[in-house]
Amino acid sequence: MVQRASPDHPLVQALARAGFIAAEDEAAELLAAAHGDETRLHAMLQRRLTGEPLAWITGHARFCGIDVTVDPGVYVPRWHSEQLALRAAARLPENGVAVDVCTGSGAVAAVLSARRPRARVVGSDLDERAVTCARRNRVEAYRGDLFDPLPAELRGRVDVVTGVVPYVPTAELPLLQRDTFSFETPLAYDGGDDGTAVLRRVLAEAPAWLRPGGAVVLELGGRQPALLAEELARLGYAPATVLVDEEGDVRGIEAVHEVRLASDA
Ligand SMILES: C[S@@+](CC[C@H](N)C(=O)[O-])C[C@H]1O[C@@H](n2cnc3c(N)ncnc32)[C@H](O)[C@@H]1O
């Protein structure tokens, strides 16, 4: 854990003047990443002042207490996904199998591996930069659409499928934070008309990979659990548990797949 920088440090003041609310924490991270090199520190500050994500500048982020490498261009793991990763880890047996679709930097998968070192944890992502980054985080990552690139021998054997998939309704993309909208790719966020397009595909494809009684743990928000309830029942899932954060905001669903349908085989 990096110590906070003092409020009168010039770096803190420059960040605070530019409106960064966590200026002391950010300054401390930049100082640690610059390793005493003033030229490098100056260049890093200039990048941050443009709104570029801090993790792309320092090269890493903390997630569930572990250090995750985050390469420029790759989605920065968020604190609100931590609950999902921990819930999924609790579902994963010691020697179990987990799939993390839309793995990005591999943050969720890395947490699962850290908590269950003997389990097999695989991830997928459409973006080559993400796959490279996830591999740097020691995730067995494959490039491709959702389940398509995963090893076929895992079909029917997966204990838990996790996914922080794109789930922002297309019309709401311009409402995302400045850093997000200017720097990160819509591929990480755009979930179609009501935000559930990719969620629905994951729910439909997961049963072929899950063992009976396996579960999906998916990030979503707002009214999306209600939008998906009928689909969950139709696909053979038990009613989902809705995950909320400490402020009562909806953050995800956890749903066990109970019924093996003929079409899953
Ligand atoms: C919101 S980010 C989440 C990344 C990571 N799970 C995390 O929490 O830090 C979504 C990721 O999904 C990837 N993605 C979007 N559509 C995809 C698809 N159809 N198949 C695989 N990956 C996809 C994006 O490239 C992006 O890395």
Side-chain angles (χ1 to χ4, degrees), residues 75 77 102-104 107-108 124-127 130 144-146 164 166 187-188 201:
Y75 177 88
C102 300
T103 200
V108 174
S124 72
D125 204 287
L126 273 179
D127 186 342
D145 182 40
L146 301 183
V164 180
L187 181 65
R201 290 183 53 221

Side-chain angles (χ1 to χ4, degrees), residues 168-177 180-181 186 189-191:
V168 178
T170 307
E172 292 176 21
L173 291 175
L175 307 179
L176 294 173
Q177 285 179 354
T180 305
F181 194 55
Y189 292 95
D190 191 351

Side-chain angles (χ1 to χ4, degrees), residues 126-216:
L126 273 179
D127 186 342
E128 184 63 45
R129 291 169 305 178
V131 172
T132 302
C133 183
R135 289 179 183 154
R136 271 154 57 74
N137 285 310
R138 300 205 186 93
V139 174
E140 182 183 334
Y142 298 89
R143 181 171 181 204
D145 182 40
L146 301 183
F147 297 90
D148 285 359
L150 301 180
E153 82 258 16
L154 300 182
R155 289 174 81 92
R157 292 180 43 209
V158 175
D159 297 286
V160 61
V161 169
T162 52
V164 180
V165 311
Y167 64 91
V168 178
T170 307
E172 292 176 21
L173 291 175
L175 307 179
L176 294 173
Q177 285 179 354
R178 179 187 69 157
D179 293 13
T180 305
F181 194 55
S182 332
F183 287 90
E184 295 187 281
T185 158
L187 181 65
Y189 292 95
D190 191 351
D193 282 353
D194 65 1
T196 65
V198 185
L199 289 163
R200 287 177 197 275
R201 290 183 53 221
V202 174
L203 290 175
E205 293 177 32
W209 295 82
L210 290 169
R211 64 163 172 79
V216 292

Side-chain angles (χ1 to χ4, degrees), residues 65-129:
I66 67 171
D67 189 60
V68 178
T69 295
V70 184
D71 293 333
V74 177
Y75 177 88
V76 180
R78 307 296 207 274
W79 66 269
H80 56 247
S81 306
E82 291 188 340
Q83 181 188 179
L84 169 147
L86 298 176
R87 294 284 294 221
R91 285 202 160 270
L92 183 59
E94 287 297 332
N95 292 299
V97 180
V99 166
D100 181 40
V101 291
C102 300
T103 200
S105 66
V108 174
V111 170
L112 296 178
S113 290
R115 302 254 163 168
R116 298 284 183 270
R118 293 210 298 275
R120 181 154 178 208
V121 181
V122 303
S124 72
D125 204 287
L126 273 179
D127 186 342
E128 184 63 45
R129 291 169 305 178

Side-chain angles (χ1 to χ4, degrees), residues 231-261:
E231 189 92 334
L232 282 161
R234 189 180 64 75
L235 291 166
Y237 293 90
T241 301
V242 178
L243 310 180
V244 292
D245 65 20
E246 57 276 12
E247 284 166 9
D249 290 329
V250 169
R251 294 296 185 182
I253 53 166
E254 185 171 346
V256 173
H257 192 255
E258 293 182 317
V259 183
R260 182 153 288 275
L261 305 171

